[in-house]
Amino acid sequence: DYLCITKFIYGIPKMAKTLYAFDFDNTLVVSNSKVIVKHDGGKISHLTPYDYAGYVQKDGDKFDFSEFSEIKDPKPVKKYMDLFKKAIKHPGADVAIVTARGIGSERQIAKYLQSIGITKDVRIKGVQSGSPQAKSHYISNKIKKEGYTKVRFFDDHEKNVDAVKGVAKDLNVDLQTHLVPKSEYEPLIQGYEKDDPTKKRGKNVGKLAQILKQRVTNPNTGNQILIKTALKYGETHPAHQIAKGVIKRSLGNGE
């Protein structure tokens, strides 16, 4: 149930008595992925991971998590990434990433960690839910099964933090929670918004809106994706380059 990033095997040692558990999105990394919500009546919303964690589902809502199949244009949240790396070096401790992302995201996160030089074992769990109880239930089960006496939990959403705090009431464990302040990750999110072509205004805005609804092929997956989605990938991503080329050809010098 944990994914070991160096060997890609499941399982966890029973030696460690300390667990450091980190959320991924807006705690360790900010990415340019959004949860797409299709409402009754045709309206569509794009939620950041933080917004999604606090979103109250309405009747008729349909969720699209396809943008989370990859880690798009990741930017580390420096303070908490540094704490994460420090925790990995802590002797006798287990380190885990507990994310609302789905199971398929575990290997993507593992590959990202390897790309930034983290090659020691890190356990990764996608709980497949934005419900705070999903993370608290998982932490509670790990304490019971593995006999942890000390747990340190890091997350950007207060509802997740509050839910995990409740674990300490029922179990004999030294549990401390840390709420990641918005000031640590919001500037990174705003950086994406500044580069978002959908925010542009001018004589071509109507035409651009139509272009963004067209689809191109993501060379990395072979899937057809919206140009608007492709542009949210990092600038070096081939799908981003293809989408940018389509816009440039369509708008000419008026881009």
Side-chain angles (χ1 to χ4, degrees), residues 161-252:
V161 168
D162 289 343
V164 172
K165 280 182 181 177
V167 170
K169 298 178 182 178
D170 304 319
L171 301 171
N172 183 25
V173 60
D174 173 9
L175 187 150
Q176 294 182 13
T177 59
H178 301 264
L179 178 64
V180 179
K182 286 187 177 182
S183 59
E184 295 293 336
Y185 60 84
E186 235 176 11
L188 301 175
I189 295 175
Q190 291 170 355
Y192 292 125
E193 293 173 350
K194 290 176 183 177
D195 296 334
D196 187 351
T198 65
K199 306 294 183 182
K200 290 184 178 181
R201 296 293 182 266
K203 63 180 181 180
N204 280 320
V205 65
K207 187 175 182 180
L208 177 60
Q210 294 300 316
I211 296 170
L212 294 174
K213 295 177 183 179
Q214 298 177 22
R215 293 180 178 271
V216 294
T217 300
N218 181 345
N220 288 356
T221 64
N223 295 332
Q224 291 287 307
I225 59 175
L226 293 173
I227 286 180
K228 179 178 178 179
T229 299
L231 288 171
K232 293 179 181 179
Y233 287 44
E235 290 189 3
T236 59
H237 195 288
H240 179 106
Q241 295 295 325
I242 292 172
K244 189 174 180 180
V246 171
I247 292 175
K248 187 175 181 179
R249 290 192 296 274
S250 300
L251 297 181

Coordinates of all heavy atoms in Angstrom, one line a residue, residues 161-252:
V161 N -5.9 18.9 8.3 CA -5.2 19.0 9.5 C -6.1 18.7 10.7 O -5.7 17.9 11.6 CB -4.5 20.4 9.6 CG1 -4.0 20.6 11.1 CG2 -3.4 20.5 8.6
D162 N -7.3 19.3 10.7 CA -8.2 19.1 11.8 C -8.6 17.6 11.9 O -8.7 17.0 13.0 CB -9.4 19.9 11.7 CG -9.1 21.4 11.9 OD1 -8.1 21.7 12.5 OD2 -10.0 22.2 11.5
A163 N -8.8 17.0 10.8 CA -9.2 15.6 10.8 C -8.1 14.7 11.4 O -8.4 13.8 12.2 CB -9.6 15.1 9.4
V164 N -6.9 14.9 11.0 CA -5.8 14.1 11.5 C -5.5 14.4 13.0 O -5.1 13.5 13.7 CB -4.5 14.4 10.6 CG1 -3.3 13.7 11.3 CG2 -4.7 13.9 9.2
K165 N -5.7 15.6 13.4 CA -5.6 15.9 14.8 C -6.5 15.0 15.7 O -6.1 14.6 16.8 CB -6.0 17.4 15.1 CG -5.0 18.4 14.8 CD -5.5 19.8 15.2 CE -4.4 20.9 14.8 NZ -5.0 22.3 15.1
G166 N -7.6 14.7 15.2 CA -8.6 13.8 15.9 C -8.0 12.4 16.2 O -8.5 11.7 17.1
V167 N -7.1 12.0 15.4 CA -6.5 10.7 15.5 C -5.8 10.6 16.9 O -5.9 9.5 17.6 CB -5.4 10.4 14.4 CG1 -4.6 9.1 14.7 CG2 -6.1 10.3 13.1
A168 N -5.2 11.6 17.4 CA -4.5 11.6 18.7 C -5.4 11.4 19.8 O -5.0 10.9 20.9 CB -3.7 12.9 18.8
K169 N -6.7 11.8 19.7 CA -7.6 11.6 20.8 C -7.9 10.1 21.1 O -8.2 9.8 22.2 CB -8.9 12.3 20.4 CG -8.8 13.8 20.3 CD -10.1 14.5 19.9 CE -9.9 16.0 19.6 NZ -11.2 16.6 19.2
D170 N -7.8 9.3 20.1 CA -8.2 7.9 20.2 C -7.0 7.0 20.4 O -7.1 5.8 20.7 CB -9.0 7.4 19.0 CG -10.2 8.3 18.8 OD1 -10.9 8.6 19.8 OD2 -10.6 8.6 17.6
L171 N -5.8 7.5 20.0 CA -4.6 6.6 20.1 C -3.5 7.2 20.9 O -3.4 8.4 21.0 CB -4.1 6.4 18.6 CG -5.0 5.8 17.6 CD1 -4.5 5.9 16.2 CD2 -5.3 4.4 18.0
N172 N -2.7 6.4 21.5 CA -1.6 6.8 22.4 C -0.4 7.1 21.5 O 0.5 6.3 21.3 CB -1.3 5.7 23.4 CG -0.2 6.2 24.4 OD1 0.0 7.4 24.6 ND2 0.5 5.2 24.9
V173 N -0.4 8.3 20.9 CA 0.6 8.7 20.0 C 1.0 10.2 20.1 O 0.1 11.0 20.4 CB 0.2 8.4 18.5 CG1 -1.0 9.2 18.2 CG2 1.3 8.6 17.5
D174 N 2.2 10.5 20.0 CA 2.7 11.9 20.0 C 2.5 12.4 18.6 O 3.3 12.2 17.7 CB 4.2 11.9 20.4 CG 4.8 13.3 20.2 OD1 4.0 14.3 20.0 OD2 6.0 13.5 20.4
L175 N 1.4 13.1 18.3 CA 1.0 13.5 17.0 C 1.1 15.1 16.9 O 0.4 15.7 17.7 CB -0.3 13.0 16.6 CG -0.8 13.2 15.1 CD1 -1.7 12.1 14.7 CD2 -1.5 14.6 15.0
Q176 N 1.8 15.6 16.0 CA 1.8 17.0 15.7 C 1.5 17.3 14.3 O 2.0 16.6 13.4 CB 3.2 17.6 16.0 CG 3.6 17.6 17.5 CD 5.0 18.2 17.8 OE1 5.5 18.9 16.9 NE2 5.5 18.0 18.9
T177 N 0.6 18.3 14.1 CA 0.2 18.7 12.7 C 0.7 20.0 12.4 O 0.9 20.9 13.3 CB -1.3 18.6 12.6 OG1 -1.9 19.6 13.5 CG2 -1.9 17.2 12.8
H178 N 1.0 20.2 11.1 CA 1.5 21.5 10.6 C 0.7 22.0 9.4 O 0.7 21.3 8.4 CB 3.0 21.4 10.3 CG 3.9 20.9 11.4 ND1 4.6 21.7 12.2 CD2 4.1 19.6 11.9 CE1 5.3 21.0 13.1 NE2 5.0 19.7 12.9
L179 N 0.1 23.1 9.6 CA -0.7 23.7 8.5 C 0.2 24.6 7.6 O 0.8 25.5 8.1 CB -1.9 24.5 9.0 CG -2.8 25.2 7.9 CD1 -3.5 24.2 7.0 CD2 -3.8 26.1 8.6
V180 N 0.4 24.2 6.4 CA 1.2 25.0 5.5 C 0.5 26.3 5.1 O -0.6 26.3 4.6 CB 1.5 24.2 4.2 CG1 2.3 25.1 3.2 CG2 2.1 22.9 4.5
P181 N 1.1 27.5 5.5 CA 0.4 28.7 5.2 C 0.4 29.1 3.7 O 1.3 28.7 2.9 CB 1.3 29.8 6.0 CG 2.6 29.1 6.1 CD 2.4 27.6 6.2
K182 N -0.7 29.8 3.3 CA -0.8 30.1 1.9 C 0.3 30.9 1.4 O 0.7 30.9 0.2 CB -2.1 30.9 1.7 CG -3.4 30.0 1.8 CD -4.6 30.9 1.4 CE -5.9 30.0 1.4 NZ -7.1 30.8 1.0
S183 N 1.0 31.7 2.3 CA 2.1 32.5 1.8 C 3.2 31.7 1.3 O 4.1 32.2 0.5 CB 2.6 33.4 3.0 OG 3.0 32.5 4.1
E184 N 3.3 30.4 1.6 CA 4.4 29.6 1.1 C 4.2 29.1 -0.3 O 5.1 28.9 -1.1 CB 4.6 28.3 2.0 CG 5.0 28.7 3.4 CD 6.4 29.3 3.5 OE1 7.2 29.0 2.5 OE2 6.8 30.0 4.4
Y185 N 2.9 28.9 -0.7 CA 2.6 28.3 -2.0 C 1.8 29.2 -3.0 O 1.9 29.1 -4.2 CB 1.9 27.0 -1.9 CG 0.6 27.0 -1.2 CD1 -0.6 27.3 -1.9 CD2 0.5 26.7 0.1 CE1 -1.8 27.4 -1.3 CE2 -0.8 26.7 0.8 CZ -1.9 27.1 0.1 OH -3.1 27.1 0.7
E186 N 1.1 30.2 -2.4 CA 0.3 31.0 -3.3 C 1.0 31.8 -4.4 O 0.6 31.9 -5.5 CB -0.6 32.0 -2.5 CG -2.0 31.9 -2.8 CD -2.9 32.8 -1.9 OE1 -2.4 33.6 -1.1 OE2 -4.1 32.6 -1.9
P187 N 2.2 32.3 -4.0 CA 3.0 33.0 -5.1 C 3.3 32.2 -6.3 O 3.4 32.6 -7.4 CB 4.3 33.5 -4.3 CG 3.9 33.6 -2.9 CD 2.9 32.5 -2.7
L188 N 3.5 30.9 -6.0 CA 3.8 29.9 -7.1 C 2.6 29.7 -8.0 O 2.7 29.6 -9.2 CB 4.3 28.6 -6.5 CG 5.6 28.7 -5.7 CD1 5.9 27.3 -5.1 CD2 6.8 29.2 -6.5
I189 N 1.4 29.6 -7.4 CA 0.2 29.5 -8.1 C -0.1 30.7 -9.0 O -0.5 30.6 -10.1 CB -1.0 29.2 -7.2 CG1 -0.8 27.9 -6.4 CG2 -2.3 29.2 -7.9 CD1 -1.9 27.6 -5.4
Q190 N 0.2 31.9 -8.4 CA -0.1 33.1 -9.1 C 0.8 33.2 -10.3 O 0.5 33.8 -11.3 CB 0.1 34.3 -8.2 CG -0.9 34.4 -7.1 CD -0.6 35.4 -6.0 OE1 0.5 36.0 -6.0 NE2 -1.5 35.6 -5.1
G191 N 2.0 32.6 -10.2 CA 2.9 32.6 -11.4 C 2.3 31.9 -12.6 O 2.5 32.3 -13.7
Y192 N 1.6 30.8 -12.3 CA 0.9 30.1 -13.4 C -0.2 31.0 -14.0 O -0.4 31.1 -15.2 CB 0.2 28.8 -12.9 CG 1.1 27.7 -12.5 CD1 1.1 27.2 -11.2 CD2 2.1 27.3 -13.4 CE1 1.9 26.2 -10.9 CE2 3.0 26.3 -13.0 CZ 2.9 25.7 -11.7 OH 3.7 24.7 -11.3
E193 N -0.9 31.7 -13.2 CA -2.0 32.5 -13.7 C -1.5 33.7 -14.6 O -2.2 34.0 -15.5 CB -2.8 33.1 -12.5 CG -3.5 32.1 -11.6 CD -4.1 32.6 -10.4 OE1 -3.8 33.8 -10.0 OE2 -4.9 31.9 -9.7
K194 N -0.4 34.2 -14.3 CA 0.2 35.3 -15.1 C 0.5 34.8 -16.5 O 0.5 35.5 -17.5 CB 1.5 35.8 -14.4 CG 1.2 36.6 -13.2 CD 2.5 37.1 -12.5 CE 2.2 37.8 -11.2 NZ 3.5 38.2 -10.5
D195 N 0.9 33.5 -16.6 CA 1.3 32.9 -17.9 C 0.1 32.3 -18.6 O 0.3 31.7 -19.7 CB 2.4 31.9 -17.7 CG 3.7 32.5 -17.1 OD1 3.9 33.7 -17.3 OD2 4.4 31.8 -16.5
D196 N -1.1 32.3 -18.0 CA -2.2 31.6 -18.6 C -2.8 32.4 -19.8 O -3.3 33.5 -19.7 CB -3.3 31.5 -17.5 CG -4.5 30.6 -18.0 OD1 -4.5 30.3 -19.2 OD2 -5.4 30.3 -17.2
P197 N -2.7 31.8 -21.0 CA -3.1 32.5 -22.2 C -4.6 32.9 -22.2 O -5.1 33.8 -22.9 CB -2.8 31.6 -23.3 CG -1.8 30.7 -22.8 CD -2.1 30.5 -21.3
T198 N -5.4 32.1 -21.3 CA -6.8 32.4 -21.3 C -7.1 33.7 -20.6 O -8.2 34.2 -20.7 CB -7.5 31.3 -20.5 OG1 -7.1 31.3 -19.1 CG2 -7.3 29.9 -21.1
K199 N -6.1 34.3 -19.9 CA -6.3 35.6 -19.3 C -6.0 36.8 -20.2 O -6.3 37.9 -19.9 CB -5.3 35.7 -18.1 CG -5.4 34.6 -17.1 CD -6.7 34.6 -16.4 CE -6.7 33.5 -15.3 NZ -8.1 33.4 -14.7
K200 N -5.6 36.5 -21.5 CA -5.2 37.6 -22.4 C -6.5 38.3 -22.9 O -7.6 37.8 -23.0 CB -4.5 37.0 -23.6 CG -3.1 36.5 -23.3 CD -2.4 36.1 -24.6 CE -1.0 35.6 -24.3 NZ -0.3 35.2 -25.5
R201 N -6.3 39.6 -23.1 CA -7.4 40.4 -23.7 C -6.9 41.1 -24.9 O -5.7 41.4 -25.1 CB -7.8 41.5 -22.6 CG -8.4 40.8 -21.3 CD -9.7 40.2 -21.6 NE -10.3 39.6 -20.4 CZ -10.1 38.4 -20.0 NH1 -9.3 37.6 -20.8 NH2 -10.7 37.9 -19.0
G202 N -7.8 41.5 -25.8 CA -7.5 42.2 -27.0 C -8.4 41.8 -28.1 O -9.4 41.1 -28.0
K203 N -8.1 42.2 -29.3 CA -8.9 42.0 -30.5 C -9.1 40.6 -30.8 O -10.1 40.2 -31.5 CB -8.4 42.8 -31.7 CG -7.1 42.4 -32.2 CD -6.6 43.2 -33.4 CE -5.3 42.8 -33.9 NZ -4.9 43.6 -35.1
N204 N -8.1 39.7 -30.5 CA -8.2 38.3 -30.8 C -8.8 37.4 -29.7 O -8.7 36.2 -29.8 CB -6.8 37.8 -31.2 CG -6.4 38.2 -32.6 OD1 -7.2 38.1 -33.5 ND2 -5.1 38.6 -32.7
V205 N -9.3 38.0 -28.6 CA -9.7 37.2 -27.5 C -10.8 36.2 -27.9 O -10.8 35.1 -27.4 CB -10.2 38.1 -26.3 CG1 -11.4 38.9 -26.7 CG2 -10.4 37.3 -25.1
G206 N -11.8 36.7 -28.7 CA -12.8 35.7 -29.1 C -12.3 34.6 -29.9 O -12.7 33.4 -29.7
K207 N -11.4 34.9 -30.9 CA -10.8 33.8 -31.7 C -10.0 32.9 -30.8 O -10.0 31.7 -31.0 CB -10.0 34.5 -32.8 CG -9.4 33.5 -33.8 CD -8.7 34.2 -34.9 CE -8.2 33.2 -36.0 NZ -7.5 33.9 -37.1
L208 N -9.2 33.5 -29.9 CA -8.4 32.7 -29.0 C -9.2 31.7 -28.2 O -8.8 30.5 -28.0 CB -7.6 33.6 -28.1 CG -6.7 32.9 -27.1 CD1 -5.7 32.0 -27.8 CD2 -6.0 33.9 -26.2
A209 N -10.4 32.2 -27.7 CA -11.2 31.3 -26.9 C -11.7 30.1 -27.7 O -11.7 29.0 -27.2 CB -12.4 32.1 -26.5
Q210 N -11.9 30.3 -29.0 CA -12.3 29.1 -29.9 C -11.1 28.2 -30.1 O -11.3 27.0 -30.1 CB -12.8 29.7 -31.2 CG -14.1 30.4 -31.1 CD -15.2 29.6 -30.5 OE1 -15.4 28.4 -30.9 NE2 -16.0 30.2 -29.6
I211 N -9.9 28.8 -30.3 CA -8.7 28.0 -30.6 C -8.4 27.1 -29.4 O -8.1 25.9 -29.5 CB -7.5 28.9 -30.9 CG1 -7.7 29.6 -32.2 CG2 -6.2 28.0 -31.0 CD1 -6.7 30.7 -32.4
L212 N -8.6 27.6 -28.2 CA -8.3 26.9 -26.9 C -9.2 25.7 -26.8 O -8.9 24.8 -26.0 CB -8.4 27.8 -25.7 CG -7.4 29.0 -25.6 CD1 -7.7 29.9 -24.5 CD2 -6.0 28.4 -25.5
K213 N -10.3 25.7 -27.5 CA -11.2 24.5 -27.4 C -10.9 23.4 -28.3 O -11.4 22.3 -28.3 CB -12.7 25.0 -27.6 CG -13.2 25.9 -26.6 CD -14.6 26.4 -26.9 CE -15.2 27.4 -25.9 NZ -16.5 27.8 -26.3
Q214 N -9.9 23.7 -29.2 CA -9.5 22.7 -30.2 C -8.6 21.6 -29.4 O -8.1 21.9 -28.3 CB -8.7 23.3 -31.3 CG -9.5 24.2 -32.2 CD -8.7 24.9 -33.2 OE1 -7.6 24.4 -33.6 NE2 -9.1 26.0 -33.7
R215 N -8.3 20.5 -30.1 CA -7.5 19.5 -29.4 C -6.3 19.2 -30.2 O -6.2 19.3 -31.4 CB -8.3 18.2 -29.3 CG -9.5 18.3 -28.3 CD -10.3 17.0 -28.1 NE -11.3 17.2 -27.1 CZ -11.2 17.0 -25.8 NH1 -10.0 16.6 -25.4 NH2 -12.2 17.1 -25.0
V216 N -5.2 18.8 -29.5 CA -4.0 18.4 -30.1 C -3.6 17.1 -29.4 O -4.1 16.7 -28.4 CB -2.9 19.4 -29.9 CG1 -3.2 20.7 -30.7 CG2 -2.6 19.7 -28.4
T217 N -2.6 16.4 -30.0 CA -2.1 15.1 -29.5 C -1.0 15.4 -28.5 O 0.0 16.0 -28.9 CB -1.7 14.2 -30.6 OG1 -2.8 13.9 -31.5 CG2 -1.2 12.8 -30.0
N218 N -1.1 14.8 -27.3 CA 0.0 14.8 -26.4 C 1.0 13.7 -26.8 O 0.7 12.5 -26.7 CB -0.5 14.6 -25.0 CG 0.6 14.6 -23.9 OD1 1.8 14.5 -24.3 ND2 0.2 14.7 -22.7
P219 N 2.2 14.1 -27.3 CA 3.1 13.1 -27.8 C 3.6 12.1 -26.7 O 3.9 10.9 -27.0 CB 4.3 13.9 -28.3 CG 3.8 15.3 -28.5 CD 2.7 15.4 -27.5
N220 N 3.5 12.5 -25.5 CA 4.0 11.6 -24.4 C 3.0 10.5 -24.1 O 3.4 9.4 -23.6 CB 4.2 12.4 -23.1 CG 5.5 13.3 -23.2 OD1 6.2 13.2 -24.2 ND2 5.8 14.1 -22.2
T221 N 1.7 10.7 -24.3 CA 0.7 9.7 -24.0 C -0.1 9.3 -25.2 O -0.8 8.2 -25.1 CB -0.3 10.3 -23.0 OG1 -1.0 11.4 -23.6 CG2 0.4 10.8 -21.7
G222 N -0.1 10.1 -26.3 CA -0.9 9.7 -27.4 C -2.4 10.1 -27.3 O -3.2 9.9 -28.2
N223 N -2.7 10.8 -26.2 CA -4.1 11.2 -25.9 C -4.4 12.6 -26.6 O -3.5 13.4 -26.7 CB -4.3 11.3 -24.4 CG -4.2 10.0 -23.7 OD1 -4.5 8.9 -24.3 ND2 -3.9 10.0 -22.5
Q224 N -5.6 12.8 -26.9 CA -6.1 14.0 -27.5 C -6.5 14.9 -26.3 O -7.3 14.5 -25.4 CB -7.3 13.9 -28.4 CG -7.0 13.2 -29.7 CD -6.2 14.1 -30.6 OE1 -6.7 15.2 -30.9 NE2 -5.1 13.6 -31.1
I225 N -5.9 16.1 -26.2 CA -6.2 17.0 -25.1 C -6.5 18.4 -25.6 O -6.1 18.8 -26.7 CB -5.0 17.1 -24.1 CG1 -3.7 17.6 -24.8 CG2 -4.7 15.8 -23.4 CD1 -2.5 17.9 -23.9
L226 N -7.2 19.2 -24.8 CA -7.5 20.5 -25.2 C -6.3 21.4 -25.3 O -5.3 21.2 -24.5 CB -8.5 21.2 -24.2 CG -9.9 20.6 -24.1 CD1 -10.6 21.3 -23.0 CD2 -10.7 20.8 -25.4
I227 N -6.2 22.3 -26.3 CA -5.1 23.2 -26.4 C -4.9 24.0 -25.1 O -3.8 24.2 -24.6 CB -5.3 24.2 -27.6 CG1 -5.0 23.4 -28.9 CG2 -4.3 25.4 -27.5 CD1 -5.2 24.3 -30.1
K228 N -6.1 24.4 -24.5 CA -6.0 25.1 -23.2 C -5.3 24.3 -22.1 O -4.5 24.8 -21.3 CB -7.5 25.4 -22.7 CG -7.5 26.1 -21.4 CD -9.0 26.4 -21.0 CE -9.0 27.1 -19.7 NZ -10.4 27.4 -19.3
T229 N -5.5 23.0 -22.1 CA -4.9 22.1 -21.2 C -3.4 21.9 -21.5 O -2.5 22.0 -20.6 CB -5.5 20.7 -21.2 OG1 -6.9 20.8 -20.8 CG2 -4.8 19.7 -20.2
A230 N -3.1 21.8 -22.8 CA -1.7 21.6 -23.2 C -0.8 22.8 -22.8 O 0.4 22.7 -22.4 CB -1.6 21.4 -24.7
L231 N -1.4 24.0 -22.8 CA -0.7 25.2 -22.5 C -0.3 25.3 -21.0 O 0.6 26.1 -20.6 CB -1.5 26.5 -22.9 CG -1.6 26.7 -24.4 CD1 -2.6 27.8 -24.7 CD2 -0.2 27.1 -25.0
K232 N -1.0 24.5 -20.2 CA -0.7 24.6 -18.8 C 0.4 23.7 -18.4 O 0.9 23.6 -17.3 CB -2.0 24.2 -18.0 CG -3.1 25.2 -18.1 CD -4.4 24.8 -17.3 CE -5.5 25.8 -17.5 NZ -6.7 25.4 -16.8
Y233 N 0.9 22.9 -19.4 CA 2.1 22.1 -19.1 C 3.3 23.0 -19.2 O 3.2 24.1 -19.6 CB 2.2 21.0 -20.2 CG 1.3 19.9 -20.1 CD1 -0.1 20.1 -19.9 CD2 1.7 18.6 -20.4 CE1 -1.0 19.0 -19.8 CE2 0.8 17.5 -20.3 CZ -0.6 17.7 -20.0 OH -1.4 16.7 -19.9
G234 N 4.4 22.5 -18.7 CA 5.6 23.3 -18.7 C 6.0 23.7 -20.1 O 5.7 23.0 -21.1
E235 N 6.7 24.8 -20.2 CA 7.0 25.3 -21.6 C 7.9 24.4 -22.4 O 7.9 24.4 -23.6 CB 7.8 26.7 -21.4 CG 6.9 27.8 -20.9 CD 7.5 29.1 -21.0 OE1 8.7 29.2 -21.5 OE2 6.9 30.1 -20.6
T236 N 8.6 23.5 -21.7 CA 9.5 22.5 -22.5 C 8.7 21.3 -22.9 O 9.2 20.4 -23.6 CB 10.7 22.1 -21.6 OG1 10.3 21.5 -20.4 CG2 11.6 23.4 -21.3
H237 N 7.5 21.1 -22.4 CA 6.7 19.9 -22.7 C 6.3 20.0 -24.1 O 5.9 21.0 -24.7 CB 5.4 19.9 -21.8 CG 4.8 18.6 -21.8 ND1 4.0 18.1 -22.8 CD2 4.7 17.6 -20.8 CE1 3.5 16.9 -22.5 NE2 3.9 16.6 -21.3
P238 N 6.4 18.8 -24.9 CA 6.1 18.8 -26.3 C 4.7 19.2 -26.6 O 4.4 19.9 -27.6 CB 6.4 17.4 -26.7 CG 6.5 16.6 -25.5 CD 7.0 17.5 -24.4
A239 N 3.7 18.8 -25.7 CA 2.3 19.2 -26.0 C 2.1 20.7 -25.9 O 1.4 21.3 -26.7 CB 1.4 18.5 -25.0
H240 N 2.9 21.4 -25.0 CA 2.8 22.8 -24.8 C 3.4 23.5 -26.1 O 2.8 24.4 -26.6 CB 3.6 23.3 -23.6 CG 3.7 24.8 -23.4 ND1 3.0 25.4 -22.4 CD2 4.3 25.7 -24.1 CE1 3.2 26.7 -22.5 NE2 4.0 26.9 -23.5
Q241 N 4.5 22.9 -26.6 CA 5.1 23.5 -27.8 C 4.1 23.4 -29.0 O 4.0 24.3 -29.9 CB 6.4 22.8 -28.1 CG 7.5 23.0 -27.0 CD 7.9 24.5 -27.0 OE1 7.9 25.2 -28.0 NE2 8.2 25.0 -25.8
I242 N 3.5 22.2 -29.1 CA 2.5 22.0 -30.3 C 1.4 23.0 -30.2 O 1.0 23.6 -31.2 CB 2.0 20.5 -30.3 CG1 3.2 19.6 -30.6 CG2 0.9 20.4 -31.2 CD1 2.8 18.1 -30.4
A243 N 0.8 23.1 -29.0 CA -0.3 24.0 -28.8 C 0.1 25.5 -29.1 O -0.7 26.2 -29.7 CB -0.8 23.9 -27.3
K244 N 1.2 25.9 -28.6 CA 1.7 27.2 -28.9 C 1.8 27.5 -30.4 O 1.5 28.6 -30.9 CB 3.0 27.4 -28.1 CG 3.5 28.9 -28.1 CD 4.8 29.0 -27.3 CE 5.3 30.4 -27.3 NZ 6.5 30.5 -26.4
G245 N 2.3 26.4 -31.1 CA 2.5 26.6 -32.5 C 1.1 26.8 -33.2 O 1.0 27.5 -34.2
V246 N 0.1 26.0 -32.8 CA -1.2 26.1 -33.4 C -1.8 27.5 -33.2 O -2.3 28.1 -34.1 CB -2.2 25.1 -32.7 CG1 -3.6 25.3 -33.2 CG2 -1.7 23.7 -33.1
I247 N -1.6 28.1 -32.0 CA -2.1 29.4 -31.7 C -1.4 30.5 -32.5 O -2.0 31.4 -33.1 CB -1.9 29.7 -30.2 CG1 -2.9 28.9 -29.3 CG2 -2.2 31.2 -29.9 CD1 -2.7 29.0 -27.9
K248 N -0.1 30.3 -32.6 CA 0.7 31.2 -33.4 C 0.3 31.3 -34.9 O 0.2 32.3 -35.5 CB 2.2 30.9 -33.3 CG 3.1 32.0 -33.9 CD 4.6 31.6 -33.6 CE 5.5 32.7 -34.2 NZ 6.9 32.4 -33.9
R249 N 0.1 30.1 -35.4 CA -0.3 30.0 -36.8 C -1.7 30.5 -37.0 O -2.0 31.2 -38.1 CB -0.2 28.5 -37.3 CG 1.2 28.0 -37.4 CD 1.2 26.7 -38.2 NE 0.5 25.7 -37.5 CZ 1.1 24.9 -36.5 NH1 2.3 25.1 -36.2 NH2 0.4 24.0 -35.9
S250 N -2.6 30.3 -36.0 CA -4.0 30.7 -36.2 C -4.1 32.2 -36.0 O -5.0 32.9 -36.7 CB -4.8 30.0 -35.1 OG -4.8 28.6 -35.3
L251 N -3.3 32.8 -35.1 CA -3.5 34.2 -34.8 C -2.5 35.1 -35.6 O -2.7 36.3 -35.7 CB -3.3 34.5 -33.3 CG -4.3 33.9 -32.4 CD1 -4.0 34.3 -30.9 CD2 -5.7 34.3 -32.7
G252 N -1.4 34.5 -36.1 CA -0.4 35.2 -36.8 C 0.2 36.2 -35.9 O 0.5 36.0 -34.8

